Amino acid sequence: MNVLAKIFVTLKDSVLDPQGKAVTHALHALKYGAVSDVRIGKYMEVTLSANSLDDADRLVRGMCDELLTNPVIEKFTFELMEVSQ
Amino acid sequence: MNVLAKIFVTLKDSVLDPQGKAVTHALHALKYGAVSDVRIGKYMEVTLSANSLDDADRLVRGMCDELLTNPVIEKFTFELMEVSQ
Amino acid sequence: MKTAVLQFPGSNCDIDALKALHHTVDTMAELVWHTTTDLSSYDLIVVPGGFSYGDYLRAGAIARFSPVLKAVQEAAARGRYILGICNGFQILTEAGLLPGALRRNESLQFRCEISQLVVANGHTAFTSEYTENEIINIPIAHGEGNYYVDDETKKALQERGQIVFRYVSEHNPNGSVDGIAGVINERGNVLGMMPHPERAVSKRLGSEDGLRLFASILKSWRGTHVLH
Amino acid sequence: MSYTEPTAGEIKEQRIYRTFGVTDEEFARVTELLGRLPNYVEIGVFSVMWSEHCSYKSSRRVLRRFPTSGPQVLQGPGENAGIVDIGDGQAVVFKIESHNHPTAIEPYQGAATGVGGIIRDIFTMGARPVALLNSLRFGPLDDAHNRYLFSHSVAGIGGYGNCIGIPTVGGEVYFDDSYTHNPLVNAMCVGIIEQAKIARGSASGVGNPVLVVGAKTGRDGIHGATFASAQDPHAKERSAVQVGDPFMEKLLLEACLELIETGKVVGIQDMGAAGLTSSSAEMASRAGSGLTLDVSRVPCRETGMSPYEIMLSESQERMLVVMQKGEEAIAFSIFEKWGLEATVIGQVTDDGMLRIVEGGKVAGEMPVTALVDEAPVLERPSAVPAYLSQLLPAPTSLPDGPSHEDALMHLLAKPTIASKEWVYDQYDSMVRTETFVRPGSDAAIVGVPGTNKALGMVTDGNGRYVYLDPYAGGAWAVAEAARNLVCSGARPLAVTDCLNYGNPEKPEIFYQFERSADGISEACLTFGTPVISGNVSLYNESLGQDIYPTPVIGMIGLMDDAGMITPSSFTNPGHILYVLGDIAAPLQDGLGGSEYLAEFLPEGVLAYKLPHLDLGTEKAVQDACYQLIQQGVVNAAHDVSDGGLLVALAESAIQGNIGVRVEVPQEVRDEALAALLFGESPSRIVIEVASDRSADVERVAQQLGIPCARLGVVTDELRFSVMANGSKVVDMAIGDLRSAWQGAIASWMN
Ligand SMILES: Nc1ncnc2c1ncn2[C@@H]1O[C@H](COP(=O)(O)OP(=O)(O)O)[C@@H](O)[C@H]1O
Ligand SMILES: [Mg+2]
């Protein structure tokens, strides 16, 4: 089966996010004073073939741990969905 | 109410994604030959206060158009959810 | 000719631009802080290189909301000369003063080297001292200089001579569409370029080819102003 | 606020202090100095102040041996950075620092924050940072993890320096298995200052306000300083890695320089390792004063931070400033202009105590002298490693060695020797428009604004050499740094050093440390280049395996006339090539320590003795080169180092895009030719001179009593040709050499 994984990577909460900070300031300077916090991370769409969603789960978790993120400063979540073709 | 907006920004399909290509290669070089495609974008979590989800929708769309994305090369989607506190 | 070199938080080629101007065209040039709202007394406005606001989010994205950008818009509308270098080019595209966008370099790496450029249009206010198709050496130093425009816009730019500089074809350092290194607006008074002419103003720095860009601007300005 | 911390009694009973790396004896000593049991904040503060990282407890005795004074020295070791006179009321400020352990676990941020930290050391002195250099060591590139560490470190170094707008102008990169689990990232920063405006890290004047300026404090890197010295690699990981914010630092840099310029600053110090704790204790110690700090006033990024966390946080891009009383408003307005915070958190006292209060409540109280002066100084046992006595005289060739052409091609394509373009093209080396010689030559040259002077700068070190002969290896690093400066036309001024070693608790490692420091000292005396600043990084080991002892020397030289800059690339066809120094030295020294052995006899490279270094000869060779350059005789100069004579000639020919035709000027047995061509005996410099200047070369060499040999000519034919004993031993196209050399690192990385 073909699976699309949507992976969301963010810095751990305790880690400084300079981009998020700069964007928060910028939004305040525009007219978005209602914003209290911005965290900026990475969004990845990975298409892969797998035997099952469980199998895909294992693969995606593996690639996040090994390559796509660094657990020292980042954390991740992901969603899987079957796609055609 | 307090709203968390999860915003996903990706390059338009017509715009090349060299980072996605590089990550695909790297995954293949590990043991992830099952991966056929990777697209890399940005993931932002914006916390804001709004009168309603509709209000939040309007605000978030506004900040994406104005600042958070560049329509010449990027597109975005977002999800909203009410959060406590 | 009176010149403003804008300073945003995070600009870092501002002083270099100022030095180059003093050295090349020896005119009145000064630094102007990003909170300024009136640029009406300046004939040339240089938006210098650097990392305004850390280049966070996208290069130039946050700086375009600085108060001074409104004044830049007004100056552009009045036909004053505006030169965006590197981060300045990124800011001008983000602000919509120039078409297109600058993406991350195709190599995904920052690239600093002396690059060879072809002067694709030698008849602008910024390039009249070059010969068309001349090859010049101007340094680049950027991580997001990969110019993008869609095909339709590219054709229009080509037809109207708005593509001013290209990297020599075998040495496109960043993956830019059509090797584009610098573009000008339709009216011909706003130029944006990734390479740094202010770094090519003496033999010691490895090239003097940037001198004539500043000289061109001065000459154009003289042509439209009565000399005392 | 609520946080539960162990009580003083629990800390003692459960020996909680041990988790901070404090030994039982040290704990007893703390108790004695306080006259009571320390509470949690206090033991935390002591643990970092007494850590290897802050107290230099293993290394302090050894560092005292360095020569640190000279007429040019305005500030030696002990401040944030050293300062050297360059005339006309100006001075150069510089220092090098390691960021090895953070880099091993998060290479981009680890390397980036290393650069950020060293930049702060320079501008705290009031100096404008004008250049960055770096010295890197990684495992071989055929391993994916090594490539990951290497590429991300380089990106991090560039990411920080490029953003803040300080050119990265030089450095070095070595690849060796020894660094596979323990890469080294050393960063050096150079600044220029007017002597009248030097600021210092001293907290004097009772009642003067103490301010925290810059970034907010978060829970980053708590105990980073402690864990940097931990033996267990997992313990190293426990300290959270900090994320750098170069944009914030750019603003901080401009704001601090503007503030110092007002003359209202009493003292200023960056918050590096051990953050508020070490900056406050050191500033008070230098002034012999005390400080009272209210941690509840420190602007925090996270909620609910305890005094312990605030004192130990290593959040980046912060400074501690003591202002003249009543002048705080100046700081507020300057920092506001730059969009930064400046907050008064306490004041200077005269009771010699570092007193930490939280609102009305005293959270900790310790004598400054106990924290700083009473820090343990260890007398580590030292023992000559057994391997040293087993080293054999080095061979002059290998039984089934490669042809000389093959050897040259292989060496040029070795990542350690190959062009480092892949690295330095990722660094903005030109911003500030004062970089007259960019990376790629022997030394970088950076102009002194507003004068005709220029500064030469290099980093140098070779861990394998030091392993094979700690004393000579240490001296060698200094000699090579000086030689690189001299080849570029600069006169060596002073040294900063970064001493990277394995576990000092092993007597053999401590011996390497001690002996190489002695070698450095002697060489510094020879070249008249005192040590004015530096940094020590110990416990560079992983899985029981120590790195090569790797002292890295950063050296600054002065050029009174930037017009005297000499390239390392050959320039003119028809010009003559000479070797200053004994071209035939490798016939005695053999191939010991060389890249040639590392490539063609990898299992034997640690079995043979290092070539002989004679500092007197080295100095004479350098003096000859320097004099000839000053007399306008030399068109190009390049020292013979990694890879030996042929590699040096090839590098200069490739970079000049020009041919050479040389002939070995004496009869050499065929079995010894490899040594002559590829041996790494020191004290040799290749120079290019116009044919009518030959007599000058011979005269100066004779005056200084050094050998000099005429080697051949530069040609306009793009070939590299070498004759020996009447026959051609190498004849290759420059283009082929170039592709081997230039593309080697890229071919691994892309
Ligand atoms: N990490 C680095 N960063 C910047 N420049 C570097 C780096 N590594 C090497 N270089 C530059 O490449 C050139 C060659 O370096 P190297 O082979 O170490 O020189 P040498 O053998 O003369 O000491 C030098 O100009 C050096 O500054
Ligand atoms: Mg050299």
Short mmCIF file of all heavy atoms in Angstrom, two decimals, chain D residues 134 136 168-173 416-417 420 423-424 427 438-442 459-460 480 484 638-639 641-642, ligand 1:
data_model
loop_
_atom_site.label_atom_id
_atom_site.label_comp_id
_atom_site.label_asym_id
_atom_site.label_seq_id
_atom_site.Cartn_x
_atom_site.Cartn_y
_atom_site.Cartn_z
N ASN D 134 38.41 28.99 12.42
CA ASN D 134 38.00 27.79 13.14
C ASN D 134 38.91 26.64 12.82
O ASN D 134 39.54 26.58 11.77
CB ASN D 134 36.54 27.43 12.82
CG ASN D 134 36.32 27.23 11.34
OD1 ASN D 134 36.44 26.13 10.84
ND2 ASN D 134 36.04 28.32 10.64
N LEU D 136 38.95 22.44 12.90
CA LEU D 136 37.99 21.33 12.96
C LEU D 136 38.67 19.98 12.84
O LEU D 136 39.63 19.82 12.08
CB LEU D 136 36.98 21.46 11.79
CG LEU D 136 36.32 22.82 11.59
CD1 LEU D 136 35.42 22.80 10.36
CD2 LEU D 136 35.50 23.19 12.82
N THR D 168 34.43 34.97 8.20
CA THR D 168 35.23 33.81 8.61
C THR D 168 36.33 33.67 7.58
O THR D 168 36.08 33.40 6.42
CB THR D 168 34.36 32.55 8.65
OG1 THR D 168 33.30 32.77 9.58
CG2 THR D 168 35.17 31.35 9.12
N VAL D 169 37.56 33.92 8.02
CA VAL D 169 38.63 34.10 7.04
C VAL D 169 39.64 32.95 7.00
O VAL D 169 40.50 32.92 6.12
CB VAL D 169 39.39 35.42 7.29
CG1 VAL D 169 38.45 36.60 7.16
CG2 VAL D 169 40.06 35.41 8.66
N GLY D 170 39.57 32.02 7.93
CA GLY D 170 40.56 30.95 7.88
C GLY D 170 40.27 29.86 8.86
O GLY D 170 39.31 29.92 9.64
N GLY D 171 41.14 28.86 8.82
CA GLY D 171 40.96 27.74 9.73
C GLY D 171 41.67 26.53 9.20
O GLY D 171 42.55 26.63 8.35
N GLU D 172 41.31 25.38 9.72
CA GLU D 172 41.89 24.14 9.24
C GLU D 172 40.93 23.01 9.52
O GLU D 172 40.06 23.11 10.39
CB GLU D 172 43.24 23.89 9.90
CG GLU D 172 43.21 24.14 11.39
CD GLU D 172 44.38 23.54 12.12
OE1 GLU D 172 45.36 23.14 11.48
OE2 GLU D 172 44.28 23.45 13.35
N VAL D 173 41.08 21.93 8.75
CA VAL D 173 40.24 20.75 8.92
C VAL D 173 41.11 19.52 8.77
O VAL D 173 41.87 19.42 7.81
CB VAL D 173 39.16 20.66 7.81
CG1 VAL D 173 38.12 19.63 8.20
CG2 VAL D 173 38.52 21.98 7.50
N THR D 416 42.14 15.59 4.19
CA THR D 416 42.96 16.43 5.08
C THR D 416 43.84 17.40 4.29
O THR D 416 44.09 18.52 4.73
CB THR D 416 43.83 15.53 5.98
OG1 THR D 416 42.98 14.87 6.90
CG2 THR D 416 44.86 16.33 6.74
N ILE D 417 44.28 16.99 3.11
CA ILE D 417 45.16 17.84 2.30
C ILE D 417 44.38 18.62 1.25
O ILE D 417 44.71 19.76 0.94
CB ILE D 417 46.25 16.97 1.62
CG1 ILE D 417 47.23 16.47 2.68
CG2 ILE D 417 46.97 17.75 0.52
CD1 ILE D 417 48.32 15.57 2.14
N LYS D 420 39.99 23.10 0.83
CA LYS D 420 38.91 23.20 1.80
C LYS D 420 37.79 24.13 1.29
O LYS D 420 36.97 24.60 2.08
CB LYS D 420 39.46 23.69 3.14
CG LYS D 420 40.60 22.87 3.71
CD LYS D 420 40.24 21.41 3.91
CE LYS D 420 41.32 20.57 4.54
NZ LYS D 420 42.58 20.47 3.78
N VAL D 423 34.35 23.81 2.40
CA VAL D 423 34.09 24.37 3.72
C VAL D 423 33.96 25.89 3.63
O VAL D 423 32.92 26.47 3.96
CB VAL D 423 35.22 24.02 4.70
CG1 VAL D 423 35.01 24.69 6.05
CG2 VAL D 423 35.33 22.51 4.86
N TYR D 424 35.01 26.54 3.16
CA TYR D 424 35.01 28.00 3.35
C TYR D 424 34.14 28.76 2.37
O TYR D 424 33.83 29.92 2.61
CB TYR D 424 36.44 28.55 3.46
CG TYR D 424 37.37 28.33 2.30
CD1 TYR D 424 37.15 28.93 1.06
CD2 TYR D 424 38.50 27.54 2.44
CE1 TYR D 424 38.03 28.76 0.02
CE2 TYR D 424 39.39 27.35 1.40
CZ TYR D 424 39.14 27.97 0.18
OH TYR D 424 40.02 27.80 -0.86
N TYR D 427 31.22 30.04 4.12
CA TYR D 427 31.39 31.14 5.06
C TYR D 427 31.49 32.45 4.30
O TYR D 427 32.21 32.54 3.31
CB TYR D 427 32.72 30.99 5.83
CG TYR D 427 32.91 29.70 6.59
CD1 TYR D 427 34.20 29.18 6.75
CD2 TYR D 427 31.85 29.02 7.17
CE1 TYR D 427 34.42 28.02 7.46
CE2 TYR D 427 32.06 27.85 7.88
CZ TYR D 427 33.35 27.35 8.03
OH TYR D 427 33.56 26.21 8.73
N ARG D 438 41.68 35.95 1.37
CA ARG D 438 40.58 35.10 1.81
C ARG D 438 41.11 33.70 2.10
O ARG D 438 42.27 33.39 1.83
CB ARG D 438 39.52 35.08 0.71
CG ARG D 438 38.92 36.46 0.44
CD ARG D 438 38.05 36.44 -0.79
NE ARG D 438 37.12 35.33 -0.71
CZ ARG D 438 36.76 34.59 -1.76
NH1 ARG D 438 37.27 34.81 -2.94
NH2 ARG D 438 35.91 33.61 -1.60
N PRO D 439 40.27 32.82 2.64
CA PRO D 439 40.73 31.46 2.91
C PRO D 439 41.30 30.83 1.65
O PRO D 439 40.83 31.11 0.55
CB PRO D 439 39.45 30.73 3.33
CG PRO D 439 38.52 31.78 3.78
CD PRO D 439 38.86 33.02 3.03
N GLY D 440 42.29 29.99 1.82
CA GLY D 440 42.89 29.31 0.69
C GLY D 440 44.38 29.57 0.58
O GLY D 440 45.09 28.86 -0.12
N SER D 441 44.88 30.57 1.28
CA SER D 441 46.31 30.85 1.27
C SER D 441 46.91 30.36 2.58
O SER D 441 46.25 29.72 3.38
CB SER D 441 46.52 32.35 1.08
OG SER D 441 47.86 32.61 0.77
N ASP D 442 48.20 30.66 2.84
CA ASP D 442 48.80 30.20 4.08
C ASP D 442 48.19 30.86 5.30
O ASP D 442 47.93 30.22 6.31
CB ASP D 442 50.32 30.43 4.06
CG ASP D 442 51.03 29.30 3.32
OD1 ASP D 442 50.45 28.20 3.24
OD2 ASP D 442 52.15 29.50 2.82
N THR D 459 45.20 29.40 12.21
CA THR D 459 45.14 28.37 13.25
C THR D 459 45.92 27.17 12.74
O THR D 459 45.89 26.86 11.55
CB THR D 459 43.70 27.91 13.57
OG1 THR D 459 43.10 27.37 12.39
CG2 THR D 459 42.86 29.06 14.08
N ASP D 460 46.63 26.51 13.63
CA ASP D 460 47.42 25.36 13.23
C ASP D 460 47.55 24.35 14.37
O ASP D 460 47.60 24.73 15.53
CB ASP D 460 48.84 25.78 12.81
CG ASP D 460 48.96 25.85 11.30
OD1 ASP D 460 48.66 24.83 10.65
OD2 ASP D 460 49.33 26.92 10.78
N GLU D 480 54.62 26.12 12.97
CA GLU D 480 53.89 26.13 11.70
C GLU D 480 52.99 27.35 11.59
O GLU D 480 52.86 27.95 10.51
CB GLU D 480 53.08 24.83 11.54
CG GLU D 480 52.38 24.82 10.20
CD GLU D 480 51.95 23.44 9.73
OE1 GLU D 480 52.42 22.44 10.31
OE2 GLU D 480 51.15 23.38 8.79
N ASN D 484 53.37 30.06 8.64
CA ASN D 484 52.29 30.45 7.73
C ASN D 484 52.12 31.97 7.69
O ASN D 484 51.88 32.54 6.63
CB ASN D 484 50.97 29.79 8.15
CG ASN D 484 50.87 28.36 7.65
OD1 ASN D 484 51.22 28.06 6.52
ND2 ASN D 484 50.41 27.47 8.50
N HIS D 638 55.27 29.54 0.12
CA HIS D 638 54.36 28.53 0.67
C HIS D 638 55.19 27.57 1.49
O HIS D 638 56.24 27.12 1.04
CB HIS D 638 53.65 27.81 -0.47
CG HIS D 638 52.58 26.85 -0.02
ND1 HIS D 638 51.85 27.01 1.14
CD2 HIS D 638 52.13 25.70 -0.58
CE1 HIS D 638 50.99 26.02 1.26
NE2 HIS D 638 51.14 25.20 0.24
N ASP D 639 54.73 27.27 2.69
CA ASP D 639 55.54 26.39 3.53
C ASP D 639 55.29 24.93 3.18
O ASP D 639 54.23 24.57 2.65
CB ASP D 639 55.29 26.65 5.01
CG ASP D 639 53.92 26.19 5.45
OD1 ASP D 639 52.95 26.41 4.70
OD2 ASP D 639 53.82 25.57 6.52
N SER D 641 54.31 21.54 4.41
CA SER D 641 53.72 20.93 5.60
C SER D 641 53.05 19.62 5.23
O SER D 641 53.71 18.77 4.64
CB SER D 641 52.78 21.92 6.30
OG SER D 641 51.69 22.25 5.48
N ASP D 642 51.79 19.46 5.52
CA ASP D 642 51.13 18.17 5.28
C ASP D 642 51.30 17.72 3.84
O ASP D 642 50.93 18.43 2.92
CB ASP D 642 49.63 18.27 5.58
CG ASP D 642 49.37 18.81 6.98
OD1 ASP D 642 49.90 18.22 7.93
OD2 ASP D 642 48.66 19.83 7.09
N1 LIG E 1 37.65 25.27 8.65
C1 LIG E 1 38.13 26.20 7.83
N2 LIG E 1 37.56 27.41 7.79
C2 LIG E 1 38.04 28.39 7.01
N3 LIG E 1 39.11 28.24 6.24
C3 LIG E 1 39.74 27.08 6.23
C4 LIG E 1 39.27 26.00 7.02
N4 LIG E 1 40.09 24.95 6.81
C5 LIG E 1 41.03 25.37 5.97
N5 LIG E 1 40.82 26.65 5.61
C6 LIG E 1 41.67 27.45 4.76
O1 LIG E 1 42.20 26.66 3.71
C7 LIG E 1 43.58 26.98 3.50
C8 LIG E 1 44.44 25.74 3.60
O2 LIG E 1 44.40 25.21 4.89
P1 LIG E 1 45.52 24.23 5.40
O3 LIG E 1 45.66 23.14 4.42
O4 LIG E 1 45.22 23.88 6.82
O5 LIG E 1 46.76 25.22 5.32
P2 LIG E 1 48.22 25.04 5.90
O6 LIG E 1 48.63 23.64 5.60
O7 LIG E 1 48.99 26.06 5.16
O8 LIG E 1 48.11 25.34 7.37
C9 LIG E 1 43.94 28.05 4.54
O9 LIG E 1 43.80 29.32 3.93
C10 LIG E 1 42.88 27.92 5.57
O10 LIG E 1 42.63 29.12 6.24
#
